[in-house]
Amino acid sequence: MIKFEEVSKTYPGGHLALSKVNFHVAPGEMVFLTGHSGAGKSTLLKLISLMERPSVGRVYINGHDLSRITRRDVAYVRRDIGMIFQNHQLLMDKTVFDNVALPLVIEGYSRKQIYARVHAALDRVGLLHKQNNPPATLSGGEQQRVGIARAVVNRPPIILADEPTGNLDPALSLEIIRLFEAFNKAGASVFIATHDLGLIARMHYRTLTLKGGQMINDGLTETPGVQA
Amino acid sequence: MSLLFKSRQSGAQQHQIGLLQKLLMFFTSHFRQCIASFGEIIRTPLASVMTIAVLGLSITLPGTLYVLVKNLNNISADTQQAAEISVFLKQQASDADIQQLIKRIRTWPEIESLTFVSADDALEEFRRLSGFGDAVDYLDSNPLPNVLLVYPSDKFGTPATAKTLLDKLIQEREVESGKLDIEWLERLHAILAIANELVTMIALLLFIAVILIVGNTIRLNIFNKRSEILVMKLVGATDSFIQRPFLYTGFWYGFLGGIMAWITIAILLWWMSSNIEDILALYNQDFDLAGMSFSTLMSMLGISIFMGLAGSAISVSRYVSQIEPR
């Protein structure tokens, strides 16, 4: 589903963020990506969502080489990827409903479909009763769930999450991860970047580890014992 | 449309929607954004009114000048054919001489009709119409000559033939001098041509300024919505989808600015009309100040909308693509 081949990324100014990274995430797999701050987790996610382009190497999604995607087509690729951010990236002057509906409005769904899907997504994350509130009135955990509802509302085959539990206490974090598990069971490939090692240890999922821009563990070969 | 997952369906493909309905949805989406942009303008009244006023007033100035120049053009066009020759008679010509003269030239085929205006009548008329009545009272004697107003027949009414007739009239013994009323029209024409060009130049300069002002306003709008644009790009909005609301905002600025210009010009013309008609009465013109024709009004609105859109398009094409999530 997601495949990196010898991917390196050097930022302007010479900072080497990723160095010769190789890995492959199978369709329907749920994977954690971990490493210290600055290890290259965010850069790796940005290469998948086309916010950055690799300096060397190739990234494939579903067998398609992302280097062939033109600037114009980036928007269409992002519609296949549900993205979740540590800082939620919600529109604070719109209601919860409008925030979740945004991807559907962009894709040109009809009003009826938008209502049905947004309600389903909000119901899934348990926030249907707050659909008319502005996000600012919600707690951090609730805002994160709104972000998740927005990411999954158009049922993307890939879900990317960048530190989704960053600001949450362990109980809330687990709740969020359980949501991802549910979407994974429904068929989506889930890719979660986090430095919350305690959380990962409890979950027994495949874990990729980055250190200084290099992939020191792809969760398959070196420590197979971690696998459940 | 999914680029990466061929089997995956998205919005417009759901339920195998027909072409007609796809088209309908395209327009629905445009309509939504159009109305939303209008709502945005209503919600920020002060900022919007300032931009709209700039547009409206910038069109009002050349618009009003255009109406005035056009009206002057109308006067000159009306008078072009009915050339009138004023023949000034010598002071020493007696009444009998004058009667003789009138009898003589009335038989000329070139002349349609003629009117005798005595010096006293002329002074009286001047006192009545010029507004210098009091000044006239200070004069010891009447400085005005007796005048014959000669109207050439249709055949001799063109400027050239009227000129020949004038030359012939001056040959008469009792005549001091003559004046073709067409001369002031020719001068007026020359002045009007300059005025027309001036209006065009002022309009062009103002229009360029307006496009830049609208462009700058939209640029600020874009920067104010930076975070919203970033989020929209993250969830897969194309540049053109993000640009559309700003273009509609430019459209509304232009539309409302055009309407404002209509109203302002109407008020200005109403305000000035009585004065203008007083002046024109001095030229013995039956004159109604012509307002703007339907086509002029529409092209004014069209220009206004074009300027709004152009200013918006300049900013949108430059700045929306620059805002990229990092």
Side-chain angles (χ1 to χ4, degrees), chain A residues 6 19 143:
Chain A
E6 294 290 309
S19 169
Q143 290 189 19

Side-chain angles (χ1 to χ4, degrees), chain B residues 106-130:
Chain B
R106 185 161 271 161
T107 58
W108 292 4
E110 296 97 318
I111 292 172
E112 174 78 33
S113 65
L114 46 80
T115 316
F116 175 65
V117 182
S118 75
D120 294 339
D121 290 345
L123 188 67
E124 197 48 47
E125 191 187 3
F126 180 75
R127 190 200 302 280
R128 209 160 25 83
L129 291 177
S130 67

Side-chain angles (χ1 to χ4, degrees), chain A residues 1-5 22-29 31 44-45 47-49 58-64 66 80-81 157-160 188-192 206 208, chain B residues 4-5:
Chain A
M1 182 60 84
I2 303 170
K3 191 172 161 198
F4 274 51
E5 272 184 13
N22 287 289
F23 70 90
H24 183 223
V25 175
E29 204 175 355
V31 176
L44 198 151
L45 291 186
L47 291 175
I48 300 172
S49 57
R58 292 196 189 284
V59 179
Y60 298 89
I61 296 180
N62 198 29
H64 292 268
L66 289 191
D80 292 328
I81 304 172
I158 298 173
I159 296 171
L160 292 187
S189 306
V190 180
F191 199 102
I192 303 169
R206 179 183 166 193
L208 310 175
Chain B
L4 307 179
F5 300 88

Side-chain angles (χ1 to χ4, degrees), chain B residues 28-88:
Chain B
T28 315
S29 153
H30 267 260
F31 185 70
R32 266 188 217 161
Q33 286 182 317
C34 179
I35 296 298
S37 297
F38 188 73
E40 194 92 14
I41 288 174
I42 300 289
R43 275 195 297 279
T44 55
L46 190 67
S48 307
V49 162
M50 286 200 287
T51 309
I52 291 165
V54 166
L55 263 156
L57 296 181
S58 307
I59 297 169
T60 302
L61 178 58
T64 313
L65 289 174
Y66 167 78
V67 171
L68 293 180
V69 169
K70 193 182 73 172
N71 274 299
L72 288 172
N73 271 327
N74 284 350
I75 301 171
S76 56
D78 285 350
T79 329
Q80 186 80 53
Q81 273 308 303
E84 176 189 283
I85 302 171
S86 304
V87 179
F88 303 103

